[in-house]
Amino acid sequence: MKILICDKIAPEVVEELKKLGDVVYKTGMDPEELKREIADAHVAVVRSATKLRREILQEAKNLKLIVRAGVGLDNIDLEAARELGIEVRNTPAATSISVAELVLGLMLSAARMIPMAYASMKEHKWEKKKFQGTELYGKTLGVIGFGRIGREVAKRALGFGMKVLWFDVMDVKTDLPVERADFDTLLSSSDFITLHVPLIPQTKYLINSEAISKMKDGAVLVNAARGGVVEERAVLEALESGKLGFYCVDVYEKEPTDNFALVDHPRVIPTPHIGASTREGQLRAGMEVVKIVKEFFA
Ligand code: NAD
């Protein structure tokens, strides 16, 4: 069995996959090389970098299984895979804690202006008065999308003494001391708002000018879900008018982003889509890949 690993995977995971088949581990392949390598592969393992479009999948005559180490399947042509009888699996739970911890980091960064204080110190300034922040304690966090990541964020926010409101289209069962709210109530009652919905037609621009107008003045918005859930143009306007306090963002409408008006705004705290990028998250995702491959061929 040929297992083609197309994106960077933890070495421990590569070793485990070698026990299951003949591993070819090549990252950064151009489409022609990818077509050649995938032609006789039985399993393809990808993260987000490799794009498995129809024209690539059509060359994959032996391919039975694509495993995405991670969540989003936007880099795989799911319709083509289905038509060609190729099963597609992902590892949705492996990186939830990593993303949740980044979200708390971003919230604290905004509350205490840590990135701004850091930049000021690096310029050899001592701007003690400029960086009076706010506490998370006693503030309300609105979690939009109360799935795996949303609930992990809520748990941690409760640890900081925050009140947590959540909104979801599904009836989510939870034992956490949190309160369900409708969308508008969440927007108007929250000091911090964090997004954890997938990007689907119903969530495209969920946060637009109208939604922002319902938020508290000075609210902090965090997006570590997907670019496109937030309308960047509307956020920039709201930052400029002072309506929005901070925008903490890990994901962009276009990646890598070229929206430098957004990135350069002094009250935008940007990271380059690193939510799932932790040693533990990637190892967990990789080990889940191994389990999926094992079970699939058992
Ligand atoms: P999940 O499926 O467990 O939870 C998503 C929740 O959103 C579900 O409960 C669903 O009912 C809800 N939802 C769907 N449509 C909605 C709507 N219109 N309004 C309100 N709620 C809605 O997913 P998850 O594992 O928690 O991941 C959430 C998102 O985080 C993923 O879809 C992915 O886009 C993103 N993500 C980002 C990173 C990163 O690196 N920043 C890493 C992993 C995942």
Side-chain angles (χ1 to χ4, degrees), residues 5 7-14 16-17 25 45-49 67-72 90-99 226 250 272-291:
I5 307 174
D7 294 319
K8 195 163 177 285
I9 295 278
E12 297 91 323
V13 176
V14 178
E16 286 302 312
L17 287 172
Y25 183 17
V45 178
V46 296
R47 281 176 62 191
S48 58
V67 197
R68 155 78 160 105
V71 188
N90 61 352
T91 63
T95 56
S96 305
I97 291 173
S98 302
V99 181
R226 276 290 177 271
D250 189 46
H273 202 151
I274 55 171
S277 298
T278 61
R279 174 91 193 101
E280 294 82 357
Q282 290 311 313
L283 193 57
R284 225 178 276 129
M287 287 307 173
E288 209 165 308
V289 168
V290 175
K291 190 164 162 251

Side-chain angles (χ1 to χ4, degrees), residues 99 147-149 167-168 170 196-198 203 224-226 250 273 275-276:
V99 181
R148 284 174 293 257
I149 299 173
F167 167 75
D168 199 296
M170 302 280 285
H196 300 291
V197 293
T203 60
R226 276 290 177 271
D250 189 46
H273 202 151

Side-chain angles (χ1 to χ4, degrees), residues 45-57:
V45 178
V46 296
R47 281 176 62 191
S48 58
T50 298
K51 312 287 176 230
L52 294 179
R53 304 282 172 239
R54 180 179 290 273
E55 59 277 16
I56 304 280
L57 294 179

